[in-house]
Each structure stands twice: as C-alpha cells, then as structure tokens.
Amino acid sequence: MSLFSLFLLLLLSLHVVSTTARTTIDANSLAGDANSIPTKEYLVRYWNEQITNNLAIPPLLTSKVSPLTTAETTLFTQLAAQDAISDHLRSFCKAAQLLCFPDLSSYQLGKDDRFFYDVINGATTLAGGMNVNESVEPGKFFRELILRSGNVIRMPDLQLKTPKRSFLPRSISSGLPFSTSKLAELKQIFHAGDDSTLEKIMVRTLSLCEKAPIQGETKRCVSSVEDMIDFATSILGHDIKLHSTESAGGSKRDILIGRVKRIDGSRSGAPVACHDSLFPYMVYNCHAVPTLHVYEADILDPVSKATINHGVAVCHMDTSAWSPNHEAFRALGSGPGRIEACHWIYGDYAVWTGANL
C-alpha cells in the first residue's frame, strides 16, 4: 500500500473514531511527490510566465495564496473530486485557512464588507440583514476635485475588518460548486444550516457574481490567484501592475494630500478593480470599467508633512446605475448620474493597471 493510501486510511479512521478529536494532516508523509509544487513556489512560476515586466509579485497576492502544502493540496483535490470534502471539513478549513467554524450567527460584519456590498451593488442590506445606509462615515466618499496636492481632508477608517481567508488552489476550487443553482451542495459541503448567516453570505456573493454586467463592464469572480492574474491579463495585456493602499496609516484623522498621480488602464483595456467578497474561501469580484479613474497619492501628516501612507483612490465617473438611496449621494448631496463618487481603496481591495502608462 502506498504512503498516500496509508495516510488517507489513517485520516478516515481518526474521523470515525472521534468527531471531536483534533484532526491534523502530516504533510511530511507526502513530501516526496516530485510532481507537486508548493503553492507559493507555483505562484512565482505562474507570475513570471504571465507577467512580462520585472515587477515583484505584489504582497497582496502572496498574502492570499493558499497555505496548503503539496501533500494537503493533493489530498483535498482528491476529496473534492470524490465529493468528500464535507466529511473532513474541519481539517480542510483549518489547513486551508478558510471561514467555516463556528457558525457565523454572532459574527458582526465589518465596515469593509459593508462598504464593498454597498458601493459595488447599491445594496441596502447585507446577508445578516444589517442596514448599510444607517450612517455615512466621514471621509468615506468625496469628489474628484478633492484629490489635489495641498488639500487637507478627512481619512476614513482603513483598518481591514473582514475575517482572514486564503485562496484555494485552482485544482481544488475548480472541483467545488459555485452557483446559486448548486446552493444545496455548497451548504452540505460547508455545513451551513438553513437560514444561517453562512448560507446568507454565500447567497449574497453568488448572486453578486451571477449579476449581469452593466453597460461597458467586463466582470468575473475569481477564487484563485491564477484566475485573478488571468482575468487581469485578458483585459490589460501582460505588462501590468497591482495597486493597493500601503497601510491603514492616517485612519480616522485629517490628512494632507501630497503628490497625486492619475493611473490609466492600458492601451488594450480599462483598469481592473478587484473587490473581496465574503465567502468561506477567498473570492474576488473583478471588473473592468472604462469610466473608472484611478489615482495614487502620498498621504502626509498635516503638521509635520511627514509621509504616513501611500494611498490609492478610485473615482466612479458614471453613477447613473446606482440606487438613489446610495450613501455616497447622502454624503455628497446629489443623485444617480449627476456626480462622480470617489473613495480610497484599502484592505483586500486592489486595482490592476498597465505598468508603464
């Protein structure tokens, strides 16, 4: 019997003997698989194959790459193919750094998630029934003219508040259902009870991903680093760069805007914005919108003039499809299609553009 077979038998036995026992995976037992490549090493190889410039892999991508070892990836890929992930969900979630346990009924969705659903979809409620238009955080939205060197403005809270998750390797994510028509299977895989918060979160993200694009928009939900790179290069070509706000520096205080630079997409396509969408594993909703303006800006202390952050902001120049009740209009005093709405990107939000434009 092969080492893999012995290991799989041991894992199944532990699951049957005690459902409360802590399940671990001995990656060393499968370390001799010469055909497997560690996920981070594979990311480096994939990046170098797909990106034609000499830019380093963005930290945002390396921080989201699956922590699974080659052995664990092999095991869970086979379990997914056999529809057996559900039987080993606890070990799967722990090893892959997913959002599964405990049930999320008491989890309070943070401002990042509120922001994501409201801005991108004009949604009025979240999966948990939270009203996203209760208040508008100071500095959350602003007009494009505000992004001028020398202006002092209020910075919103840039702290990431969504739970930490990782992408799955493509070999695993491609073997899992991802559609509202397969919701019953997803609930069974991730042990989501009827009307549970986890079910509502999955429904919200699946509905978002299946929503038809607006005029001029090209969109795709991605669940692996490779998928994100593939979508970005399909729009922008292979000489691209990923932009994100450097840190949470300047949060909830007045800041001085330093050098400002407008960033374009590329000669072949519009900027590609990718937004984290809450799901058990990392899912990004990526879309290319020709009317999106992207800016980089140095964030300075108003008194000392010292640099405290390097920010990225986007301006939605066409808001005609947004809800009249959108909080951006409440904050800026206008309505759909009458003004642009700008905001900083932060946390897991990022924008792809051409590297040399």
Side-chain angles (χ1 to χ4, degrees):
M1 181 179 293
S2 68
L3 287 175
F4 176 79
S5 298
L6 286 172
F7 173 72
L8 185 57
L9 180 60
L10 176 60
L11 182 65
L12 293 172
S13 299
L14 286 172
H15 178 72
V16 172
V17 170
S18 174
T19 58
T20 60
R22 183 178 180 181
T23 304
T24 60
I25 299 177
D26 182 8
N28 292 330
S29 65
L30 294 174
D33 186 357
N35 296 321
S36 297
I37 304 174
T39 51
K40 290 190 177 181
E41 181 181 326
Y42 178 72
L43 172 59
V44 172
R45 177 181 296 185
Y46 199 81
W47 177 268
N48 290 335
E49 289 176 350
Q50 298 298 320
I51 307 304
T52 57
N53 54 57
N54 294 320
L55 295 175
I57 300 175
L60 180 66
L61 294 188
T62 56
S63 70
K64 301 302 177 187
V65 70
S66 175
L68 292 175
T69 64
T70 55
E72 292 165 341
T73 299
T74 300
L75 173 63
F76 291 122
T77 297
Q78 293 194 7
L79 291 175
Q82 298 165 4
D83 296 325
I85 286 285
S86 178
D87 295 334
H88 309 281
L89 184 62
R90 188 171 296 275
S91 58
F92 177 50
C93 288
K94 181 178 179 180
Q97 199 173 72
L98 310 184
L99 178 66
C100 304
F101 295 98
D103 179 65
L104 304 177
S105 58
S106 62
Y107 181 73
Q108 298 299 312
L109 295 175
K111 290 182 180 178
D112 280 76
D113 210 54
R114 291 175 63 180
F115 171 83
F116 168 69
Y117 285 121
D118 193 43
V119 169
I120 304 307
N121 305 295
T124 56
T125 57
L126 282 185
M130 184 185 299
N131 190 327
V132 298
N133 286 321
E134 290 176 350
S135 62
V136 183
E137 182 183 7
K140 186 170 181 180
F141 298 99
F142 49 89
R143 300 292 300 273
E144 189 175 28
L145 285 173
I146 294 295
L147 284 171
R148 295 292 183 270
S149 179
N151 282 348
V152 175
I153 65 172
R154 186 71 176 179
M155 182 69 82
D157 187 0
L158 303 181
Q159 294 287 344
L160 177 64
K161 297 193 171 55
T162 49
K164 187 175 182 179
R165 287 149 294 134
S166 296
F167 280 120
L168 288 175
R170 182 185 269 174
S171 61
I172 298 177
S173 63
S174 63
L176 298 176
F178 190 82
S179 70
T180 51
S181 65
K182 301 290 186 180
L183 181 61
E185 295 177 37
L186 276 166
K187 289 171 62 178
Q188 188 268 334
I189 290 171
F190 291 104
H191 299 181
D194 293 339
D195 203 37
S196 65
T197 302
L198 182 55
E199 178 191 17
K200 292 174 183 177
I201 285 173
M202 291 195 294
V203 168
R204 166 61 68 183
T205 292
L206 292 171
S207 299
L208 167 66
C209 291
E210 294 170 0
K211 186 177 180 180
I214 62 175
Q215 184 175 1
E217 177 189 41
T218 304
K219 59 175 289 190
R220 182 183 304 164
C221 279
V222 299
S223 56
S224 69
V225 178
E226 306 98 294
D227 288 343
M228 185 190 286
I229 294 173
D230 287 353
F231 180 69
T233 55
S234 72
I235 301 294
L236 297 164
H238 293 267
D239 185 15
I240 58 176
K241 181 179 180 179
L242 186 65
H243 306 266
S244 59
T245 295
E246 188 174 274
S247 71
S251 291
K252 299 191 290 186
R253 53 174 283 196
D254 289 341
I255 58 95
L256 174 66
I257 298 179
R259 181 191 64 89
V260 177
K261 178 184 177 182
R262 168 82 183 273
I263 314 168
D264 293 319
S266 74
R267 292 184 178 86
S268 61
V272 175
C274 290
H275 319 268
D276 171 23
S277 187
L278 203 56
F279 208 69
Y281 50 88
M282 182 59 68
V283 171
Y284 271 89
N285 177 31
C286 295
H287 60 160
V289 183
T291 57
L292 191 70
H293 289 180
V294 183
Y295 292 90
E296 287 183 327
D298 290 331
I299 308 301
L300 312 179
D301 182 274
V303 178
S304 69
K305 306 299 190 293
T307 301
I308 57 177
N309 202 350
H310 184 73
V312 178
V314 295
C315 292
H316 301 263
M317 305 307 293
D318 182 3
T319 59
S320 58
W322 291 18
S323 166
N325 297 321
H326 196 293
E327 61 181 346
F329 303 135
R330 294 176 55 221
L332 302 174
S334 191
R338 293 167 54 192
I339 61 170
E340 80 290 351
C342 305
H343 59 83
W344 299 101
I345 67 170
Y346 53 91
D348 291 331
Y349 191 149
V351 178
W352 295 89
T353 70
N356 297 307
L357 295 179

